[in-house]
Amino acid sequence: MANVTLEHITKRYEDVTAVDDMNLDIEDGEFVTFVGPSGCGKSTTMETIAGLTLPTEGTIEIGGRDVTDLPPKDRGISMVFQNIALFPHMDVYDNISFGLRLREYDQEEIDRRVEEAADIVQLEGMMDRMPEEMSGGQRQRVAIARAIVRNPDVFLMDEPLANLDAKLRVHMRTELQRLHKELDTTIIYVTHDQAEAMTMSDRIAVIDSGQLQQIDPPLVCYNEPTNLFVAGFIGSPSMNFVEGEVTADGFDAEHVTVDFDPDAYDVSVGDEVTLGIRPEDVYLADGVESVEDPSAVVDAWTDVLEPMGNEVFVYLKLAQDAELRIDERDSDQLLMSVDPDVEVEEDGEIDVVLDRSRVHLFETGSGDAIVHGLD
Ligand code: ADP
């Protein structure tokens, strides 16, 4: 077990800054996930911790020891990657024990560690199987067992579930959580999948363009995103954004107004602000008793309905002639989610309200959050 500290880590390639002044304090035994869009610098950050890449600037400590210039094998880490590189001509036992045999551990110790690791990842009775006789999930478990037997202080996992099918991925998520509980080891995990990050981590580090945006427990990132990027990235489907400005009465945009007293917040009349509201915090105005403090009614037109089984996503246009652009939510549209038993017609007029206590405001220019939830 060990804590991991990154101080001012920067990694520059010729014309790209892959990691930009990253500062992180990961506690002993913590499960921290790096999440962000493809190319944001997650893997490069991980590679600097692993020692596969030397940072251009900055220092890395593992367990209080400066490891910045140490080779991977001397850092007390084990790695699991997306591509499961098992030796195809070796059975499970030989694959798991390969590193220990290379280091000439005595046979009894090897057997003990392999048995223990196989037990943790539930591979008992499969020691003679060859990789080709196993499913993707089983092979990934062999790779994890191989990492476990090294008794690392820190596990580094880079998209280990990316090549598995959707159902298996969900199953492996719970296995990894169990593994973390059982081993009580620090785990640093890389994924582009915010759902994976939300479900497994003690804390999520949200990264964009090489820069750390926020590091917090999943629900804090969800409920109190530090800026527009985090607000849009965490949560699926993502938060609605409406650009407008602050007036003496609160928020004002072409189709949406939400009352508040500007003096009560860190805003001034005339400020350009972006309102954020999650789909589950938009309600039909009819029978809205469940919302204690609704906004003024927003006139809308229903466009596309997406029944998901447990809920229905309703795409709303705020101007009747607006063109719906599902991939790039703009100020002319809102996505709401309703219970499946609520009757909503396609192509109809509809009145909706926002739950004021769930409204977020951001500075439009900087993207920084101003307030989460209006009084
Ligand atoms: P992620 O893991 O978030 O998808 P990466 O850390 O792999 O992102 O990459 C971050 C950025 O650094 C990208 O723009 C990528 O093209 C660039 N990059 C990564 N590795 C190299 C390299 N060896 N040489 C040049 N550019 C690189």
Side-chain angles (χ1 to χ4, degrees):
M1 295 212 291
N3 61 333
V4 178
T5 307
L6 272 63
E7 274 185 27
H8 301 294
I9 289 296
T10 293
K11 177 67 186 181
R12 275 187 288 270
Y13 293 105
E14 269 167 28
D15 50 351
V16 184
T17 304
V19 183
D20 191 359
D21 196 25
M22 187 81 74
N23 292 288
L24 277 177
D25 243 321
I26 296 168
E27 285 168 32
D28 191 8
E30 223 186 348
F31 193 138
V32 169
T33 302
F34 296 169
V35 70
S38 180
C40 74
K42 307 179 290 293
S43 296
T44 308
T45 308
M46 182 77 119
E47 284 162 15
T48 63
I49 300 171
L52 301 172
T53 297
L54 286 181
T56 317
E57 284 162 30
T59 53
I60 296 168
E61 286 187 8
I62 297 180
R65 201 162 55 108
D66 186 340
V67 300
T68 315
D69 297 316
L70 293 184
K73 68 175 178 47
D74 297 334
R75 294 188 177 208
I77 50 151
S78 274
M79 294 175 265
V80 182
F81 294 108
Q82 172 175 353
N83 293 316
I84 313 161
L86 300 184
F87 299 108
H89 56 283
M90 288 187 198
D91 65 14
V92 169
Y93 179 91
D94 284 346
N95 262 293
I96 296 178
S97 61
F98 182 76
L100 301 180
R101 286 186 284 128
L102 211 60
R103 285 180 188 76
E104 298 182 347
Y105 280 67
D106 76 56
Q107 190 58 44
E108 236 172 78
E109 177 67 7
I110 294 177
D111 284 345
R112 191 187 65 73
R113 288 201 193 187
V114 171
E115 197 177 318
E116 196 181 276
D119 183 44
I120 291 170
V121 299
Q122 296 173 344
L123 279 173
E124 310 97 321
M126 293 197 195
M127 290 299 122
D128 305 333
R129 293 262 188 107
M130 300 302 283
E132 64 187 16
E133 297 167 330
M134 309 186 90
S135 69
Q138 288 169 331
R139 282 204 291 267
Q140 192 54 286
R141 278 191 255 161
V142 176
I144 294 169
R146 190 169 56 184
I148 293 174
V149 292
R150 299 192 49 208
N151 266 345
D153 294 324
V154 181
F155 271 107
L156 303 178
M157 303 192 178
D158 193 343
E159 303 255 10
L161 310 183
N163 288 346
L164 306 180
D165 67 48
K167 192 163 169 225
L168 192 54
R169 255 197 333 257
V170 173
H171 172 70
M172 289 297 288
R173 267 192 220 159
T174 54
E175 291 214 354
L176 286 176
Q177 279 170 281
R178 191 174 50 78
L179 179 80
H180 181 232
K181 252 194 225 143
E182 237 164 89
L183 295 178
D184 213 14
T185 304
T186 312
I187 297 183
I188 306 178
Y189 190 97
V190 165
T191 181
H192 65 279
D193 179 348
Q194 61 90 31
E196 252 177 40
M198 287 293 286
T199 47
M200 292 195 294
S201 329
D202 294 319
R203 284 192 299 163
I204 300 179
V206 186
I207 302 174
D208 183 36
S209 306
Q211 294 175 340
L212 180 67
Q213 305 294 313
Q214 182 165 11
I215 174 159
D216 269 314
L219 286 180
V220 175
C221 291
Y222 189 84
N223 290 318
E224 296 165 34
T226 184
N227 59 28
L228 279 171
F229 178 81
V230 177
F233 193 80
I234 299 293
S236 177
S238 63
M239 191 183 277
N240 294 292
F241 297 119
V242 182
E243 288 183 14
E245 68 169 25
V246 176
T247 65
D249 298 323
F251 175 84
D252 187 45
E254 196 179 349
H255 308 293
V256 179
T257 56
V258 178
D259 290 349
F260 64 83
D261 175 7
D263 293 340
Y265 303 99
D266 191 15
V267 291
S268 310
V269 171
D271 284 357
E272 293 190 352
V273 293
T274 297
L275 176 148
I277 188 87
R278 293 202 181 274
E280 68 265 29
D281 300 320
V282 181
Y283 292 83
L284 294 176
D286 276 353
V288 72
E289 296 78 20
S290 55
V291 181
E292 214 165 87
D293 190 12
S295 71
V297 168
V298 180
D299 300 328
W301 287 263
T302 58
D303 198 321
V304 178
L305 304 189
E306 282 182 349
M308 303 300 289
N310 61 338
E311 60 187 333
V312 181
F313 296 136
V314 184
Y315 288 86
L316 303 172
K317 295 188 299 190
L318 302 184
Q320 195 170 12
D321 53 1
E323 225 175 88
L324 190 73
R325 278 162 289 186
I326 289 180
D327 288 337
E328 36 172 323
R329 223 75 73 59
D330 67 15
S331 293
D332 276 345
Q333 60 192 63
L334 276 184
L335 173 60
M336 76 186 291
S337 77
V338 296
D339 284 342
D341 55 355
V342 173
E343 279 186 27
V344 178
E345 280 178 24
E346 257 178 57
D347 292 323
E349 257 183 273
I350 191 169
D351 288 343
V352 299
V353 293
L354 317 182
D355 180 347
R356 287 179 75 261
S357 72
R358 307 286 298 168
V359 161
H360 307 257
L361 293 178
F362 304 90
E363 282 177 21
T364 300
S366 67
D368 291 342
I370 302 166
V371 60
H372 305 293
L374 297 169
D375 288 331

